[in-house]
Amino acid sequence: MIHVAITGAAGQIGYSLLFRLASGEVFGPHTQVKLHLLELPDSMKAAEGTAMELEDCAFPTLAGVECFDQAEAAFSGVNWALLVGSKPRGPGMERSDLIRANAPIFVRQGKALARAASDVRIVVVGNPCNTNALIAQHHCQEVPATRFSAMTMLDENRGKALLAKKIGVPVADVHNLVIWGNHSPTMYPDFENALVGGKPAETVCGNRPWLESQYLAQVQQRGAEIIQARGKSSAASAASACIDHIRRFSQPTPTGEMFSAAVPSNGEHYGIPKGLIFSFPLRTLANGTYEIVPNIPISAYAREKLQKTTDELLKEREIVKDQLL
Ligand code: NAX
């Protein structure tokens, strides 16, 4: 039996995510899943409604759903904690305001995880997800740091889909599109190391100026483009990316492949300062751990992009330094 806690369960990502977790598509048709839904007291009714709908699906793999408004109770004995809930950016709010507003949530949830769970993997989706993960991990020293990650899989999926569409190939032909750094407009979708049908993406695309300008900007700004079109932020695609993220960490990565997620830097790869939650190329190993894929060629062009996103993460860490004591 796998226990999964989802924070912000009554939100729009929660509503897309929960049914897929319950259906057996993530943990397989022979694994029972118990869902722990965490919400703010004001949203408990909505969470309970979603729990009723989950039961009404009669998924054979769903062992039960419980709703909580206390983090420690929700995290008790969970194997996965998906930290989706966070404060949204209000009108006129700067990114630094958002960082500060969310920090206390992740201090509390980090501490609650330390008390309530041990064999757990934590995935932070709620924004600013890298820095929120940094805070939660800091307050949960009882769990190995490598169990914490923040989601950049949506950026990877967006980058693959946009590239496939431009070149006119199926998205399944695009591999190894690594997202480096922060889940923010400074992220770097590494088209220089991506492959299309086994060949360098740049060669197949044949249009470096497009890759450097429109492509990069479109991946980095895709979230804003969706908000403008839909009037709401990405939800089903974010939930889908979260499913991909869990799967990628649960199964050995095929030889020659890699995927993107933000994990704690151990200070040994690509010059990224130790401790930052930074999106790297990763590979899951047969024993269930992962490694940061070493020695990927980094051009001078890419180095400049990595530096920019690193600087932003260092600045974000500085903004929340009083929450990291
Ligand atoms: P919603 O506003 O629809 O839902 C958020 C839910 O979280 C609400 O129901 C709220 O009551 C709950 N919540 C707030 N604080 C909580 C707390 N302390 N404990 C438990 N629940 C709490 O947002 P939604 O569209 O679902 O997005 C959730 C988060 O994902 C946002 O921070 C959003 O920015 C972030 N995203 C992250 C992405 C990524 O790639 N990492 C992409 C999609 C999305 O933008």
Side-chain angles (χ1 to χ4, degrees):
M1 165 99 70
I2 293 197
H3 290 256
V4 187
I6 303 93
T7 76
Q12 30 155 26
I13 295 176
Y15 195 71
S16 289
L17 182 59
L18 288 162
F19 296 85
R20 296 185 66 182
L21 291 167
S23 71
E25 91 172 90
V26 185
F27 301 108
H30 306 297
T31 304
Q32 293 287 298
V33 179
K34 177 109 191 264
L35 297 175
H36 302 218
L37 277 49
L38 179 67
E39 256 301 342
L40 295 175
D42 283 353
S43 299
M44 280 304 278
K45 264 233 109 22
E48 281 158 12
T50 305
M52 287 187 243
E53 279 202 80
L54 280 160
E55 286 166 5
D56 292 351
C57 289
F59 291 121
T61 42
L62 182 61
V65 191
E66 252 190 281
C67 298
F68 301 88
D69 61 7
Q70 297 296 321
E72 197 170 330
F75 295 151
S76 180
V78 296
N79 307 107
W80 288 88
L82 312 179
L83 309 186
V84 180
S86 64
K87 269 199 187 143
R89 190 186 282 211
M93 236 175 152
E94 298 291 331
R95 187 171 169 90
S96 54
D97 299 328
L98 184 72
I99 292 167
R100 264 189 288 270
N102 274 290
I105 296 176
F106 291 86
V107 171
R108 282 197 300 277
Q109 292 186 352
K111 287 182 176 170
L113 277 162
R115 287 192 294 265
S118 50
D119 184 15
V120 59
R121 291 181 190 209
I122 300 100
V123 182
V124 182
V125 175
N127 280 323
C129 62
N130 298 54
T131 295
N132 289 341
L134 178 83
I135 295 169
Q137 187 268 315
H138 180 85
H139 290 281
C140 186
Q141 300 292 328
E142 290 76 355
V143 172
T146 52
R147 295 292 193 97
F148 282 79
S149 60
M151 189 176 93
T152 52
M153 184 58 72
L154 178 56
D155 309 305
E156 179 180 318
N157 286 346
R158 286 167 170 167
K160 282 180 171 169
L162 287 168
L163 199 53
K165 198 169 169 185
K166 172 76 176 175
I167 297 173
V169 294
V171 71
D173 284 5
V174 184
H175 291 269
N176 296 357
L177 179 72
V178 176
I179 304 295
W180 296 90
N182 201 2
H183 171 68
S184 82
T186 68
M187 79 181 81
Y188 172 52
D190 186 355
F191 58 81
E192 291 184 330
N193 286 299
L195 298 173
V196 175
K199 299 196 186 97
E202 204 181 321
T203 312
V204 182
C205 175
N207 190 346
R208 172 103 192 178
W210 176 80
L211 287 166
E212 281 191 17
S213 53
Q214 284 108 304
Y215 176 68
L216 219 63
Q218 212 179 344
V219 179
Q220 290 168 334
Q221 300 292 342
R222 184 68 164 179
E225 195 183 345
I226 304 272
I227 293 176
Q228 219 171 23
R230 215 172 82 85
K232 290 181 191 164
S233 55
S234 314
S237 56
S240 199
C242 187
I243 301 284
D244 290 342
H245 179 112
I246 297 170
R247 279 216 197 97
R248 298 292 199 112
F249 274 101
S250 305
Q251 296 160 7
T253 308
T255 309
E257 302 253 326
M258 49 187 133
F259 65 96
S260 316
V263 295
S265 169
N266 55 16
E268 291 168 16
H269 295 97
Y270 304 104
I272 307 306
K274 193 167 181 221
L276 280 191
I277 307 281
F278 193 92
S279 185
F280 283 109
L282 303 180
R283 211 157 31 208
T284 299
L285 309 177
N287 66 6
T289 62
Y290 67 80
E291 65 173 9
I292 295 172
V293 180
N295 305 324
I296 291 182
I298 303 290
S299 67
Y301 171 82
R303 173 55 59 199
E304 197 188 302
K305 306 283 179 204
L306 262 64
Q307 193 56 52
K308 189 168 174 209
T309 196
T310 304
D311 289 347
E312 183 182 50
L313 282 167
L314 287 170
K315 212 187 280 168
E316 291 189 11
R317 184 164 75 179
E318 188 61 24
I319 291 170
V320 298
K321 67 171 189 274
D322 57 329
Q323 305 285 341
L324 296 173
L325 301 173

